[in-house]
Structures are given as structure tokens and as C-alpha cells.
Amino acid sequence: MDLRSAARSVTRRVGRGGLLLGAMLAATTAIASPEEGKTLRFAFQGSLNALDPYTLNETFTLGMLGNVYEGLTKRDKDLKIIPGLAESWEMVDPLHWRFHLRKGVKYANGNDFTADDVVFSAERVRADGSDLKTRIPADSVWKKIDDHTVEVELKTPNPILFAEWDTWYIIDKEWAEKEGAVKPVSAKDTNPAPSAYMANGTGPFTIESHEPGVKTIYKANKGWWGKVEHNLDGVVFTPIAADGTRVAALLSGDVDLIEPVPVQDIERIKSDPNTDALTGPELRVIHLGFNQFRDELPTSDVKGKNPFRDANVRKAFYQAIDIEAIRKRVMRDLSTPVPLLIASQLFEKSGDFERWPYDPEAAKKLLADAGYPDGFTIGMDCPNDRYVNDEAICQAVVSMLAKVGVKVNLNAQPKAKYFAKVLAPGGYDTDFFLLGWTPGSFDSWNVLVSLATCRDATGKGGPFNLGGYCNTKVDELAKQILVEADLAKRNDLISQAYRIMVDETSHIPLHQQSLAWGKRKNLDIVQRPDDQVLFYWATLK
């Protein structure tokens, strides 16, 4: 069955769905035909927008750009840190690190990679508009020693300094100055300069053309410095939002790889003789958050105060949510409920914590004790093309909260609009939200400093603490965790911070979602638990 036939078939099943059919036919048009040589055709549920690697701290975007750009470090197939654009490094003393850069590396436009690019990138990633400011310490000082040596001066020791640098991509200073790309593109910028849609990296692929929301064509970088492990001439990426269209494209052979596979279609794809599903645990934790920053919530009918500043209200929301129903009915058993904002595999003392139990009667009592015996109304923001069954999860939460008297008005929208609204560039414009988080360092400090440390209205502090949760004790513990090198002491400090957050119901951790990629059987590709789609480990037979 070709894709147009599949579209007609699905449309007949759902009725007179003119909009659905139109979307499917548009997707058909967008999928490029295979070119000569080995071209990987990949479809994802969301779009790739700006190509500036500092615009959006999101796994999909960082992975797609990680095929073109590189950091000082990289991670191997098992997520172990390995040398990248830095061949080696050493700690001169607790406050000084020295990085020895790889020689002979060139950008796609032929420019040489040098220390000037690293120093420039260190300033650029901390500039206004960047969504990756936490990649390096705000007060660190970067110095060029020579063309291939950089020294970093710190104000306080940092034993995990480079743990997130595999996704802090180095930008060509000369190119950025020439193309007007000295400043990072903000996620809220709806009309950025043309340079936002250009790329010039040192990685194994280059971007030949980019039409946001339509198609992106990659070409293998024949001048790449590394050892080539793929056999691709290029990649055609097409966003396909509709689950049925995406699955039909894989089954018909119009694409070679899709992500995600709807959980209900995994067995269907496995049973087809030409396709298979790659599944496995993901390190991302999906959670809900509350706006605790504002004095009054714009989307609520409660006036003159903020109900989410009351821990009883937050706990009531938590206990109103039936996590097992979400796991079984929404996620089809492809999720693992968690008690913390970090995957259990990434913190060895996770077993010391438990979720608040599902108990709607207890939730009603908590709401009544807080002064809301009849509940209240609140708005909720949710992406509909970012996480596995994200909108369905939010719809389930809406239904569950209704049973305890809380009316939730759901605003589910594509991730580009969602992130532009809820992140710092959009002024953290959300009262209740769903978010997924994978710590780039695979470490609890990243979770605490990103999601739970106090911030101001501009995001200074916890940049992804969308709801503005604030406990100065957690902030103090985060500072101690950053500099503590003794693992046992460090884990104890982390436990103290998580205990405060659990007791106060700072957020509502939901689950670790499972990875589900669909592929043609003639494709081999590495699926890492961090969910980055990296073409340089793909081979087509």
C-alpha cells in the first residue's frame, strides 16, 4: 500500500476527516524520493525549526544538530564520555582546567577549528536568548593559550564540569560574524534572521537544505576528521505529526525510520516482514509542574491568591492522578512510574523514595483543608508532538482531576508553540504544565539546578524551573552537591534535596517513558537511552 492509499484507508476508518486527509496528503508531498546511493529517510512527530544549536535545549533538536555540530566531548554508544573536539584535558588544580584541541579539524565551509571558536562559543552559549546557559558555569573565564589549547578558570571547584559538553556544540566564530549569527536565536523569535536556518559544523554530516516544518536534507561530510561508521550518502528528514500517517509511511517503505511508534502500533510493526520496532528504557522522566511564582494565576478562577503555593493543593493534585491507569491504558505498559524527577538508573538511592499513593478521597480532603472544597479552575499547557502520548497523558490528567472537583482547561499544541510559551523567552507563561527531562550530565545536580532551584522572572537561577518552585535549602544543597567529590557524601546531599521536594510536592513525577522507534529491516541503527537519533551509526543494507 502506498502512502496515499494508506491515507484513504485511515480516513475511511475515522469518517469524513477532511483535515486529517489533508494533513496526510501534505505529508506525502513532503517525503522526498530516495536519491542515488544510500539515503536514509527519517520521520519524526515534531519539526526541526531553527538550526542554531543554542536555541532549544531539547533532546530531539540537540540530536538532529549533533549530526552536524560537535562538542569538546562526545558520548559513545554506551553513553560514556569520550574525546570530541578536545583530544584530552586535565585539571591543573581544582579551579583550573586545560583542554587540548584536536588539530586539522575543519568546518563544513572549510574554516579551521581553533581555540578562538571555543572561547567565542563559551560567550555565545551564555548570552541572552540561549536555552543552554547552564552548560558551562556562568562565572567561568575562558582563555586561549594557543590555537589548540584553552584554559578554563572557575570560581568554585566543579568535578562534573564537562559532563554536558557533548551537546554544547562549538560554533565557527568567523562564520558567525560573517553571517550575522553572533547572538543566539531565541526560541520565542518567530521571525529570525536567515542565519537561524543555516548550519556550519565540524560533524559527520552537513545540512544541504532546510525547510522548517517541511523537509531537511543532510549530506555526508566527506572531509570529516573522525572514523566513519555509517554508509550513508545523505539523510532526508520529514516531520509527520499524525501517528497513522507516520506508521503508514514506514509500512509502505516511503521512510526507513520513524519516531515515535505509537504504543498501540508496536506489535503491528513487529509483525510486518519488512519492519521492526526498537524499544528500550529511556532516561527521560515526564512530570507535571505548578506555577508557584505568581501571586495570582491568570488561568484560574481563584482571585487574589495562588492556590499552588499551598502544599496541600499540590499534594491533592498528585494523589488525584492514577499513575497505574496512565501506565496501563495510555502507555500500554511502556512506562515506568517513578517517585523522583530523575530516572531510577541515574541515582542509586532512588529506592529510598516512594510515590504519594493514588487516593482521590484524600485529594478531596486536602483541597477542602486548603479552602477549596468545590475545587477550582486552572489552565494546563501540554505539547502534542514531543513526548510519547503527551496529549493523551494530559487528557487523562484532566479527567482524573475533574473527579476531585478541579476543572482543567487543556491547551495542547505543537512543541514549537508550546516551548515558545512556557520557557524563559516566553516569560514562563504557564500555570500547570507537562514537561519531560533527561539530565544532560545524567546526574542529579543537573535536575536540581535546572528544574528546582529558585529563579527570578527572567530565568536567572533554575532556567527550566517553569513553575518557579523555590526552597533556599534546596539551592544550598545544590551548591554543595556541585563541589562535593566524595560519592557517598554527594549522594546523601542529593537525597536531602529530593526529600524536601517530595515532602513539599514541588512537582508531580509521572514516569520514565519507553523508547519506541520503527525501522525497515534493512536498516541498522544504534538506539541509546538518551533518545538521540544519530545518523553516524546507521547503515542501510
Side-chain angles (χ1 to χ4, degrees), residues 221-381:
N221 182 1
K222 302 301 183 181
W224 184 51
W225 59 267
K227 178 184 177 182
V228 177
E229 297 183 60
H230 68 86
N231 69 344
L232 305 178
D233 294 321
V235 179
V236 176
F237 164 65
T238 308
I240 304 180
D243 288 343
T245 312
R246 200 165 57 251
V247 171
L250 178 70
L251 293 174
S252 67
D254 284 330
V255 297
D256 306 298
L257 177 69
I258 65 170
E259 189 198 3
V261 175
V263 291
Q264 65 271 17
D265 288 318
I266 289 176
E267 291 306 316
R268 178 185 173 199
I269 286 175
K270 284 185 174 181
S271 65
D272 188 283
N274 299 309
T275 60
D276 197 5
L278 297 178
T279 59
E282 187 180 0
L283 300 179
R284 187 189 321 277
V285 168
I286 306 298
H287 68 269
L288 302 174
F290 317 91
N291 187 333
Q292 302 169 56
F293 192 85
R294 296 176 184 249
D295 295 328
E296 182 179 291
L297 302 177
T299 66
S300 177
D301 59 355
V302 177
K303 301 304 177 184
K305 60 179 178 178
N306 179 348
F308 286 150
R309 286 183 173 171
D310 190 325
N312 280 340
V313 172
R314 302 193 298 268
K315 187 177 179 183
F317 273 50
Y318 195 133
Q319 293 203 263
I321 295 172
D322 186 347
I323 194 64
E324 284 302 310
I326 292 175
R327 180 179 68 83
K328 293 176 181 177
R329 298 171 194 167
V330 179
M331 300 301 292
R332 307 284 182 104
D333 288 322
L334 287 174
S335 65
T336 304
V338 291
L340 303 176
L341 293 179
I342 193 167
S344 299
Q345 303 97 310
L346 299 181
F347 180 48
E348 62 183 53
K349 300 187 78 172
S350 291
D352 295 346
F353 297 85
E354 295 182 354
R355 294 182 54 84
W356 290 116
Y358 167 59
D359 190 338
E361 292 306 313
K364 291 178 183 178
K365 184 177 186 306
L366 286 166
L367 286 171
D369 290 346
Y372 308 101
D374 300 318
F376 56 87
T377 297
I378 192 70
M380 181 182 191
D381 290 291

Side-chain angles (χ1 to χ4, degrees), residues 62-355:
L62 293 175
M64 292 293 280
L65 295 180
N67 292 293
V68 176
Y69 286 97
E70 296 174 297
L72 295 181
T73 66
K74 296 174 77 75
R75 288 188 182 269
D76 66 12
K77 297 172 184 177
D78 298 314
L79 294 174
K80 182 190 303 180
I81 294 175
I82 59 174
L85 292 178
E87 286 186 315
S88 63
W89 51 86
E90 70 263 4
M91 184 191 297
V92 180
D93 59 55
L95 296 179
H96 293 85
W97 292 69
R98 186 163 291 184
F99 292 83
H100 304 280
L101 308 182
R102 199 174 294 277
K103 298 177 181 178
V105 174
K106 291 186 178 294
Y107 289 95
N109 68 351
N111 287 351
D112 292 324
F113 161 66
T114 70
D116 291 325
D117 303 320
V118 177
V119 174
F120 168 75
S121 297
E123 295 303 317
R124 190 179 189 276
V125 78
R126 292 177 288 183
D128 289 344
S130 170
D131 203 34
L132 283 83
K133 291 182 179 180
T134 59
R135 285 297 188 274
I136 59 177
D139 56 2
S140 58
V141 178
W142 293 67
K143 298 177 182 177
K144 170 184 174 180
I145 304 303
D146 58 41
D147 279 350
H148 294 94
T149 311
V150 171
E151 187 167 280
V152 184
E153 180 181 337
L154 306 175
K155 303 301 182 186
T156 57
N158 186 339
I160 59 168
L161 176 67
F162 54 86
E164 298 183 67
W165 288 5
D166 58 305
T167 52
W168 167 39
Y169 301 131
I170 303 302
I171 292 177
D172 178 4
K173 179 176 183 288
E174 181 182 344
W175 172 83
E177 291 173 343
K178 178 182 177 183
E179 299 295 342
V182 171
K183 295 182 179 180
V185 176
S186 170
K188 73 174 182 179
D189 193 344
T190 58
N191 188 30
S195 60
Y197 304 110
M198 301 166 61
N200 180 45
T202 60
F205 288 85
T206 64
I207 290 182
E208 181 176 89
S209 65
H210 176 59
E211 300 172 75
V214 180
K215 181 173 61 178
T216 305
I217 297 179
Y218 294 74
K219 290 294 182 183
N221 182 1
K222 302 301 183 181
W224 184 51
W225 59 267
K227 178 184 177 182
V228 177
E229 297 183 60
H230 68 86
N231 69 344
L232 305 178
D233 294 321
V235 179
V236 176
F237 164 65
T238 308
I240 304 180
D243 288 343
T245 312
R246 200 165 57 251
V247 171
L250 178 70
L251 293 174
S252 67
D254 284 330
V255 297
D256 306 298
L257 177 69
I258 65 170
E259 189 198 3
V261 175
V263 291
Q264 65 271 17
D265 288 318
I266 289 176
E267 291 306 316
R268 178 185 173 199
I269 286 175
K270 284 185 174 181
S271 65
D272 188 283
N274 299 309
T275 60
D276 197 5
L278 297 178
T279 59
E282 187 180 0
L283 300 179
R284 187 189 321 277
V285 168
I286 306 298
H287 68 269
L288 302 174
F290 317 91
N291 187 333
Q292 302 169 56
F293 192 85
R294 296 176 184 249
D295 295 328
E296 182 179 291
L297 302 177
T299 66
S300 177
D301 59 355
V302 177
K303 301 304 177 184
K305 60 179 178 178
N306 179 348
F308 286 150
R309 286 183 173 171
D310 190 325
N312 280 340
V313 172
R314 302 193 298 268
K315 187 177 179 183
F317 273 50
Y318 195 133
Q319 293 203 263
I321 295 172
D322 186 347
I323 194 64
E324 284 302 310
I326 292 175
R327 180 179 68 83
K328 293 176 181 177
R329 298 171 194 167
V330 179
M331 300 301 292
R332 307 284 182 104
D333 288 322
L334 287 174
S335 65
T336 304
V338 291
L340 303 176
L341 293 179
I342 193 167
S344 299
Q345 303 97 310
L346 299 181
F347 180 48
E348 62 183 53
K349 300 187 78 172
S350 291
D352 295 346
F353 297 85
E354 295 182 354
R355 294 182 54 84

